[in-house]
Each structure stands twice: as C-alpha cells, then as structure tokens.
Amino acid sequence: MILSELWNHYEADKRIQGFSPNTLRAYALQLKMLFSDLGDVDISGVTLNLLKEYLAKQSDRLKPSSLGHRIRFVRSLFKFAKKLIYLVILPLNCSAIVNGKGAKQREVYFTTECKVWLKKYLDSREDSCKALFVTDNSPVKRMTIPTLRWALKRLASRGAIAANVYPHRFRHTYACQLLDNGAPLEFIQGMLGHEKASTTQIYAQLRGERRRELYRRFF
C-alpha cells in the first residue's frame, strides 16, 4: 500500500469519527509535508528510523508546538496503518490443521500477531520444504525434535531464563493458562487433543497444588 492510499483510508476513518473539516485540512497539510520529503512511498518500506530522520529535519525550522502537531500526526497515521494492515491481511479467527501425535489431524488456533510473524518467517525462506520449522544448513529439511530442544535452550540462555525450557513446556503452559482463565476441562481436552478426560484432569490437579502452595505462602 502506498502513502496516498493510506491517506484515503485514514481520512475516511476520521470523517466517520466526526472530525471537523478544519482538523481534516490540518491533517492534509501535515500529509503534504510528509509527501514532500518521502514521496508517495510504499508504506511497507517506511521504517522508524526514516520517520525519526524526517521529524529531526522538521525540528530545525518548526516551533515546539508545531513540531508536536507533526509528531502526533505521524504517530496517528502509522498507528492506523498498522491496524489497517492487520484488518486487511488477517482474518479474525486464525487456525490451521496440523498432524499431531499419533498421526491425528486437529485444528489449532493462534493469535493474529502470531500469524504476522509466521508470514514474515515463511516469506523469508527460499526453500521448498513443506515443514514449518526447518534447519539452517543445506540441504534444508524438517527440524528434528532434538534440534528444536537445542534451539529453545539456546534462546532461553540468551534471554537469561533460568527455568528449564523445552517444547512440551509450551503445551503444558497453554493448558495451565486456559485453566487459570476459567476454561472448562472439556474445552481444554479438545484443544490438547486428549482422548481421555483423565489425562486433562492431571493439569487441574497440578493447578490445585499450585493454588495450595500460593495460599500457604501468602496467607
């Protein structure tokens, strides 16, 4: 999307919100100044540093109050751009069919933010491997479970995370967070793909022990 297209969407949105003609004219003037410096660029190529350089140049000749107006407009415009791109690219419900344990297929759900990062990751790849996580070395192939474990431990080390981090811990944490947020066991059982409710019940028992521990500690 180019800058002029973004402006058309932005102006229409502000009209719907009831912004006055004077305010819209002021915004149009701010856009004209931005155009004179950047041109009608593709907004995907507009970086934070580029905007900072633009505003820094403006600061040399503008009063503090005028510069403040310009900063607020730029921030508002590109905050709207981010929201607009999310709405255009991403559906409200993000899900995928995966082959799980025991070669069973099930639908998994993820956030729109997760989809953005997945798209960036997949777009950056030049291989033809169908696997989601692949090795860095050639020939590119599906990443094995031991390699995934090693990669996670390396990331945990970089982040100075003291806890023992491993792939299955994400699944365990997901189940525990669902429980803490009040999700019923039947729902969690479906999300985890458990055949038996007794398997899911283990998580509830673990959370009960955790609650008792916290009660003893703080009460």
Side-chain angles (χ1 to χ4, degrees):
M1 182 185 297
I2 57 177
L3 190 56
S4 57
E5 291 175 334
L6 172 62
W7 165 252
N8 290 335
H9 289 294
Y10 180 81
E11 184 188 29
D13 182 73
K14 298 308 173 188
R15 287 184 187 278
I16 292 171
Q17 292 184 40
F19 280 52
S20 70
N22 287 339
T23 300
L24 292 174
R25 280 194 291 271
Y27 283 172
L29 179 61
Q30 297 286 0
L31 179 77
K32 184 178 179 180
M33 298 298 103
L34 188 62
F35 253 90
S36 65
D37 193 275
L38 302 184
D40 198 7
V41 295
D42 188 321
I43 62 171
S44 63
V46 177
T47 64
L48 181 60
N49 283 337
L50 185 63
L51 293 176
K52 284 182 176 180
E53 289 174 5
Y54 163 72
L55 293 170
K57 285 187 286 187
Q58 303 299 311
S59 66
D60 294 335
R61 60 184 185 81
L62 291 177
K63 295 179 180 179
S65 58
S66 299
L67 180 62
H69 290 315
R70 193 145 302 176
I71 291 172
R72 284 190 291 274
F73 169 74
V74 169
R75 183 184 292 127
S76 174
L77 180 66
F78 284 94
K79 184 177 180 181
F80 175 80
K82 182 178 179 182
K83 176 183 176 183
L84 180 66
I85 291 170
Y86 270 55
L87 290 174
V88 170
I89 295 178
L90 304 175
L92 292 177
N93 296 316
C94 301
S95 65
I97 303 298
V98 301
N99 293 317
K101 190 175 180 180
K104 294 179 181 178
Q105 287 191 336
R106 69 172 181 271
E107 188 174 17
V108 296
Y109 303 92
F110 45 93
T111 64
T112 53
E113 182 180 4
C114 178
K115 182 167 183 177
V116 168
W117 286 108
L118 280 174
K119 185 177 185 303
K120 287 183 177 180
Y121 162 67
L122 292 172
D123 288 345
S124 70
R125 283 173 46 180
E126 299 178 353
D127 60 272
S128 58
C129 183
K130 294 182 179 180
L132 179 58
F133 298 111
V134 296
T135 57
D136 291 330
N137 301 328
S138 183
V140 174
K141 56 185 178 181
R142 182 185 299 273
M143 190 179 287
T144 63
I145 293 176
T147 305
L148 273 172
R149 289 198 188 101
W150 173 81
L152 283 175
K153 288 186 180 296
R154 185 177 62 172
L155 288 172
S157 177
R158 287 181 184 176
I161 298 174
N164 183 19
V165 179
Y166 47 91
H168 194 75
R169 187 156 192 160
F170 287 100
R171 180 178 169 87
H172 177 83
T173 302
Y174 174 61
C176 291
Q177 286 182 340
L178 286 174
L179 273 171
D180 288 344
N181 291 331
L185 283 176
E186 295 82 3
F187 171 76
I188 298 172
Q189 179 183 349
M191 289 294 96
L192 297 180
H194 289 159
E195 289 187 355
K196 298 179 180 179
S198 58
T199 307
T200 314
Q201 188 68 35
I202 295 172
Y203 289 99
Q205 293 170 355
L206 288 172
R207 300 315 285 168
E209 292 172 4
R210 176 63 175 162
R211 284 192 291 270
R212 285 191 290 273
E213 176 190 336
L214 292 173
Y215 178 83
R216 288 193 296 268
R217 182 185 302 177
F218 297 112
F219 190 75

